[in-house]
Amino acid sequence: MPDGKKLEFANVTADDVAAAAGVSRWTVNRAFRKEASISRKSLEKVMIAAERLGYVPDLRAASLASDRSNLIALLIDDFANPHKLVMMECLTRILRREGWDILLVNTLDRDDAGHALLNASQRRVDAVILIGLQFDDEVLETALHARRFRKLIIFARSSEHSNTISIAVDDVGAMTELARYVHQRGYQRPLFVAGPQTYSAHLLRKETFFSYWTTHFGVEPELVTVQTYDPALAGKVVTERLSNCAREDLPDVLVCENDALAMGASDAVRYALGLSIPGDIAITGFDDVPQADNPNYRLTTYRQPLADMAEYLVKVLADPDEQDINHLFIGSLIARESA
């Protein structure tokens, strides 16, 4: 074959690369395995030859031989919540850096979540990472009974299911810190704006705030619930809740379960109700999404340490035998002008 001319893509084999590089076929195989031992000189020779010939290793065949695919299924929903995009960017960047490929699935609803989990179990993925609201006990049990993946990981929520791995922020510690901040700032009439309440992957923020407030003031805060983490829906719900309140009956602070709800609540307070923030009503969020620092919001919020959580995730994936690996992370309170 003339120098520089590539073989037909489908016909290029490891043997062709080995002949062009002057190495054995096994050296070629080692060059494309992340953890294999190979000298730098041999690796360079193989990569130069592979590039010239247009060689791409058969990852499926390699996974069958090693019983490991290096493929992760990332199941995610609720894209109206901007924090999901932040998490997805962080996770995929760190996973790809560590040599993991990602099968991304947008789960539309509870029924779709169950189907997606079963589908992932048939694709030889090494682990499934769940980020979302649709994964209740029944869905998880169905997936666990049928699974062919090694690990089922709930990311950014605390899972109560014994056969899942939970990597999340410490919601109890975080919301206690936020509640203390609200208390110390002198607010006395909070309205808690909650999102959907799931069980297997539950946020403990509402319960923690209610416990703190009841302990210190002897009364439960007011509550309003939004069915999805959608800023537009949150704005509508808050507007409906507060539009008929007398001025003296308005809450002095909205404590929102996350930034998506807080941004919707902020828009409602300013534009639908014609009130000022924080002069009339203060607002807090949770997550510290990029928009939280926008001049339109300047949200007081709680920042999740996503990079640390993602780095821990790759360690969990690298150790197939470790069992006691649930972990809660400490973030930081970010005080801005909204409260």
Side-chain angles (χ1 to χ4, degrees), residues 217-230:
F217 293 95
V219 295
E220 281 195 349
E222 294 295 316
L223 172 69
V224 65
T225 300
V226 184
Q227 293 305 311
T228 63
Y229 292 123
D230 182 342

Side-chain angles (χ1 to χ4, degrees), residues 268-314:
V269 168
R270 281 201 181 98
Y271 306 119
L273 302 175
L275 302 173
S276 67
I277 302 170
D280 294 316
I281 300 178
I283 296 179
T284 68
F286 199 108
D287 290 333
D288 196 31
V289 299
Q291 297 92 324
D293 195 29
N294 186 291
N296 290 331
Y297 298 112
R298 294 292 296 160
L299 282 176
T300 291
T301 185
Y302 192 89
R303 179 179 296 160
Q304 296 200 50
L306 287 182
D308 292 342
M309 292 160 64
E311 294 287 359
Y312 182 77
L313 171 63
V314 297

Side-chain angles (χ1 to χ4, degrees), residues 19-293:
V23 299
S24 71
R25 184 178 187 278
W26 306 116
T27 299
V28 174
N29 290 338
R30 286 199 302 274
F32 286 94
R33 286 169 48 200
K34 179 183 172 185
E35 296 156 354
S37 174
I38 183 173
S39 72
R40 183 168 189 160
K41 183 178 179 180
S42 295
L43 179 62
E44 289 178 352
K45 289 166 67 175
V46 170
M47 291 304 168
I48 290 171
E51 172 67 20
R52 181 164 58 87
L53 297 175
Y55 172 72
V56 178
D58 186 341
L59 296 179
R60 184 176 181 275
S63 71
L64 289 171
S66 66
D67 195 35
R68 179 167 171 172
S69 66
N70 271 24
L71 178 64
I72 301 298
L74 179 59
L75 275 59
I76 187 167
D77 65 13
D78 192 32
F79 278 94
N81 180 359
H83 195 234
K84 294 295 174 63
L85 298 177
V86 176
M87 282 193 286
M88 187 171 67
E89 186 281 329
C90 182
L91 272 177
T92 54
R93 172 169 43 82
I94 291 175
L95 286 168
R96 290 300 304 275
R97 184 198 71 197
E98 296 299 317
W100 296 94
D101 291 319
I102 299 108
L103 173 66
L104 179 64
V105 181
N106 180 3
T107 54
L108 305 175
D109 52 35
R110 180 186 176 280
D111 292 336
D112 189 51
H115 175 77
L117 277 166
L118 292 174
N119 188 276
S121 74
Q122 299 171 343
R123 292 179 178 269
R124 294 188 53 81
V125 299
D126 291 329
V128 173
I129 303 170
L130 309 179
I131 305 178
L133 311 172
Q134 309 291 348
F135 311 110
D136 61 19
D137 281 328
E138 184 179 348
V139 170
L140 293 178
E141 282 296 334
T142 300
L144 286 163
H145 284 308
R147 74 180 186 181
R148 297 175 186 175
F149 42 86
R150 295 182 177 90
K151 295 181 179 180
L152 183 60
I153 300 169
I154 311 291
F155 190 81
R157 281 179 176 258
S158 297
S159 174
E160 298 175 4
H161 199 291
S162 60
N163 291 321
T164 63
I165 299 166
S166 176
I167 300 172
V169 73
D170 180 358
D171 280 322
V172 173
M175 188 50 76
T176 298
E177 187 173 357
L178 261 172
R180 189 180 299 117
Y181 176 88
V182 169
H183 180 185
Q184 292 172 349
R185 297 286 288 181
Y187 299 111
Q188 298 180 351
R189 302 186 309 280
L191 170 64
F192 194 92
V193 183
Q197 303 298 295
T198 60
Y199 294 94
S200 289
H202 189 53
L203 298 178
L204 297 170
R205 299 168 194 173
K206 176 179 72 70
E207 292 88 340
T208 301
F209 186 82
F210 271 51
S211 175
Y212 179 97
W213 209 259
T214 302
T215 298
H216 287 82
F217 293 95
V219 295
E220 281 195 349
E222 294 295 316
L223 172 69
V224 65
T225 300
V226 184
Q227 293 305 311
T228 63
Y229 292 123
D230 182 342
L233 181 59
K236 180 180 179 182
V237 170
V238 169
T239 299
E240 291 174 351
R241 176 61 178 264
L242 301 183
S243 59
N244 294 322
C245 286
R247 190 69 174 243
E248 62 272 16
D249 295 330
L250 287 171
D252 56 5
V253 61
L254 303 183
V255 179
C256 301
E257 194 169 83
N258 67 12
D259 289 345
L261 301 180
M263 289 188 292
S266 297
D267 292 341
V269 168
R270 281 201 181 98
Y271 306 119
L273 302 175
L275 302 173
S276 67
I277 302 170
D280 294 316
I281 300 178
I283 296 179
T284 68
F286 199 108
D287 290 333
D288 196 31
V289 299
Q291 297 92 324
D293 195 29

